[in-house]
Amino acid sequence: MLSQKIEEICNRQVEREGYSFILYLAMASWAETRGYPGIARWLYAQADEEKMHMLKFIAYINERGGRAVIPTFRKPPEEYESVQKLFTEVLKHEQFITGSIHEIVERCLEEKDYTTHNWVQWFVTEQIEEESSVMDILDKLNLVGEKNMYMFDRDIFGLRSEAEPEG
Ligand code: OFO
């Protein structure tokens, strides 16, 4: 059974993972309309992963005797100045999510909830991977520069194969 404090912080994470989902959808849609199919594909796949993260939290809260609350989400930005700026925002957002997951870890230790502590380790590891893959993309972007966006887009297209919307 989850304590009220753990239930609350896990529900806060439902909102944050859900916002990550729609944030990356908004970014994907922006990239798609700017003629960057590779970047759009990467972001759609990323959005899909975020939806899965949100669902994991919902399932966990409900399985452990809590009640997952589905929140409303604020509207993500529609415009991005450049691909570099967009991926800088992705990295910032992932760093924020890492901090948020670490707060759950801390709360678990305070509450001596070793079950949730163990369960949330999957997210701790996932965040290491997510931050590092975005940092790799930013390194690559710095190398190719704004002028070679066609090449960059073609490159990133090959990184993800799943999650292209139908139609
Ligand atoms: Fe990007 O890992 Fe969830 O939010």
Side-chain angles (χ1 to χ4, degrees):
M1 186 84 182
L2 294 178
S3 73
Q4 202 190 335
K5 281 187 171 171
I6 298 291
E7 184 176 341
E8 266 169 28
I9 204 165
C10 286
N11 265 315
R12 186 185 77 173
Q13 200 61 26
V14 169
E15 194 277 331
R16 291 183 174 177
E17 299 295 342
Y19 181 73
S20 307
F21 167 55
I22 60 164
L23 174 65
Y24 296 153
L25 270 188
M27 289 176 167
S29 177
W30 176 87
E32 201 162 42
T33 56
R34 295 299 145 121
Y36 299 128
I39 297 168
R41 176 194 261 206
W42 191 93
L43 287 161
Y44 278 124
Q46 197 59 34
D48 248 27
E49 282 193 14
E50 300 302 351
K51 183 174 136 199
M52 190 264 282
H53 296 168
M54 175 181 64
L55 291 173
K56 265 180 182 280
F57 269 95
I58 292 171
Y60 182 74
I61 296 166
N62 290 341
E63 266 167 23
R64 303 269 301 130
R67 193 159 59 99
V69 179
I70 311 305
T72 51
F73 299 107
R74 66 188 185 281
K75 189 173 181 297
E78 279 175 40
E79 281 303 326
Y80 299 91
E81 243 177 76
S82 66
V83 171
Q84 271 94 344
K85 287 261 165 64
L86 182 148
F87 278 104
T88 304
E89 284 307 309
V90 173
L91 181 60
K92 265 207 255 169
H93 184 71
E94 287 304 327
Q95 287 165 339
F96 165 73
I97 294 293
T98 301
S100 176
I101 294 290
H102 291 175
E103 282 169 21
I104 299 177
V105 173
E106 277 166 32
R107 182 80 56 95
C108 288
L109 292 175
E110 279 161 25
E111 297 273 306
K112 298 191 175 13
D113 181 346
Y114 302 116
T115 308
T116 307
H117 182 270
N118 182 53
W119 177 81
V120 85
Q121 294 309 308
W122 184 89
F123 285 90
V124 173
T125 310
E126 178 71 6
Q127 282 313 116
I128 298 171
E129 281 168 26
E130 297 221 332
E131 282 191 28
S132 121
S133 75
V134 183
M135 284 190 283
D136 285 351
I137 287 175
L138 279 168
D139 284 348
K140 211 174 241 195
L141 271 170
N142 286 334
L143 274 179
V144 298
E146 290 270 1
K147 287 191 198 88
N148 276 320
M149 218 35 82
Y150 173 77
M151 239 174 67
F152 172 81
D153 188 69
R154 221 181 35 186
D155 245 41
I156 199 173
F157 193 83
L159 291 181
R160 306 297 273 264
S161 52
E162 70 273 48
E164 270 189 292
E166 302 280 311

